[in-house]
Amino acid sequence: MSGHSKWATTKHKKAVIDARRGKMFAKLIKNIEVAARTGGGDPDGNPTLYDAIQKAKKTSVPNDNIDRAVKRGSGLDGGGANYETITYEGYGPNGVALLIECLTDNRNRAATEVRTAMTRNGGAMADPGSVAYLFTRKGVVVLPKAGLSEDDVLLAVLDAGAEEVNDLGESFEVVSEATDLVAVRTALQEAGIDYDSADPTFLPSMQIELDAEGAKKVFKLIDALEDSDEVQNVYSNFDVSDEVLEEVNA
């Protein structure tokens, strides 16, 4: 499995307990509001909203905050912003490719914050299309092992369109086409298997192996980008070994 996936898992665990919880809550709430505005406020009829709410709940976002976001997005309450999704492309240290996904109500502010984070941390913006071709849009469901085997998970999701099941150590990762994400998630539910997250994502077609020095630089850049309220997700094509990750975390 890729070091990027391990880094994402580590970041998720850290974010629940550290000072960035507020920023994570804000981004999850924004996702709920946009999903409700796009597909309506009923989670049963809006799979994107359902998954956004589940992710927020699993990250301990208060129910009142979730309910207000749904109402704002669906038009039941005023005060909702008109968010748009913008994806920027760039390169980090060691030639690592970056896709930076923003959800913003101010395109100029988002562009400024992304560009500033990049230039201050060894990154460089790239022309549209020069990085995106290195990534493929996929659906990824992450679930705790909880006594399950890889075969148990594969059996549950194979007919729903799952392409592979990866062992991440403490959890499994189910990869599918992005269009099959809801079907895979539903298949897990019907099999009585709980999951931590179900998200469309960008997976790299090739990866760049980093040593500890390179990894520290790339992690610093990604931290700076994710620190922006405008940035929702950062996708990259780096790979780090377990040994390098331990050295970085030491």
Side-chain angles (χ1 to χ4, degrees):
M1 61 148 291
S2 74
H4 175 58
S5 295
K6 277 182 279 192
W7 174 244
T9 303
T10 303
K11 292 285 289 181
H12 175 72
K13 289 177 180 175
K14 264 185 62 183
V16 175
I17 58 174
D18 69 13
R20 300 179 68 183
R21 177 182 290 213
K23 284 187 177 291
M24 176 176 276
F25 279 14
K27 292 180 181 185
L28 292 169
I29 288 297
K30 195 186 290 186
N31 276 337
I32 292 171
E33 192 172 326
V34 171
R37 178 173 290 115
T38 304
D42 179 10
D44 292 332
N46 183 348
T48 304
L49 176 61
Y50 179 91
D51 286 330
I53 289 174
Q54 289 300 106
K55 192 171 183 179
K57 286 183 175 180
K58 288 177 183 293
T59 318
S60 302
V61 176
N63 287 332
D64 287 347
N65 295 38
I66 293 172
D67 292 341
R68 285 196 295 269
V70 172
K71 289 179 180 177
R72 282 196 305 272
S74 58
L76 296 178
D77 278 357
N82 290 318
Y83 295 111
E84 62 175 320
T85 300
I86 308 168
T87 301
Y88 297 100
E89 302 178 36
Y91 291 99
N94 295 60
V96 166
L98 297 169
L99 284 182
I100 304 144
E101 202 170 64
C102 295
L103 193 56
T104 182
D105 59 352
N106 188 319
R107 180 181 285 261
N108 291 335
R109 184 178 64 226
T112 298
E113 292 197 11
V114 169
R115 189 175 299 276
T116 299
M118 290 285 279
T119 55
R120 287 181 178 176
N121 294 279
M125 303 299 289
D127 294 331
S130 60
V131 169
Y133 78 95
L134 295 169
F135 296 83
T136 305
R137 191 70 161 167
K138 293 290 184 180
V140 174
V141 182
V142 177
L143 56 143
K145 285 191 171 178
L148 296 168
S149 70
E150 195 168 323
D151 287 341
D152 292 334
V153 177
L154 193 59
L155 188 63
V157 298
L158 195 57
D159 290 340
E163 296 176 349
E164 57 181 310
V165 177
N166 299 317
D167 189 334
L168 304 186
E170 296 179 0
S171 57
F172 289 118
E173 173 188 73
V174 183
V175 180
S176 69
E177 290 295 333
T179 50
D180 291 327
L181 177 63
V182 173
V184 169
R185 183 257 288 163
T186 302
L188 288 169
Q189 289 177 313
E190 290 175 348
I193 299 175
D194 191 24
Y195 66 94
D196 287 334
S197 62
D199 299 294
T201 188
F202 285 99
L203 297 181
S205 56
M206 57 168 286
Q207 293 181 309
I208 294 176
E209 186 77 25
L210 297 177
D211 59 15
E213 183 179 353
K216 287 177 183 177
K217 291 177 180 177
V218 171
F219 292 172
K220 182 183 178 186
L221 171 57
I222 291 176
D223 273 341
L225 288 166
E226 290 184 339
D227 205 39
S228 168
D229 291 335
E230 307 298 319
V231 175
Q232 288 293 103
N233 299 293
V234 180
Y235 306 102
S236 182
N237 70 336
F238 70 81
D239 187 76
V240 292
S241 66
D242 290 337
E243 292 76 20
V244 168
L245 200 59
E246 287 177 11
E247 187 177 343
V248 170
N249 290 334

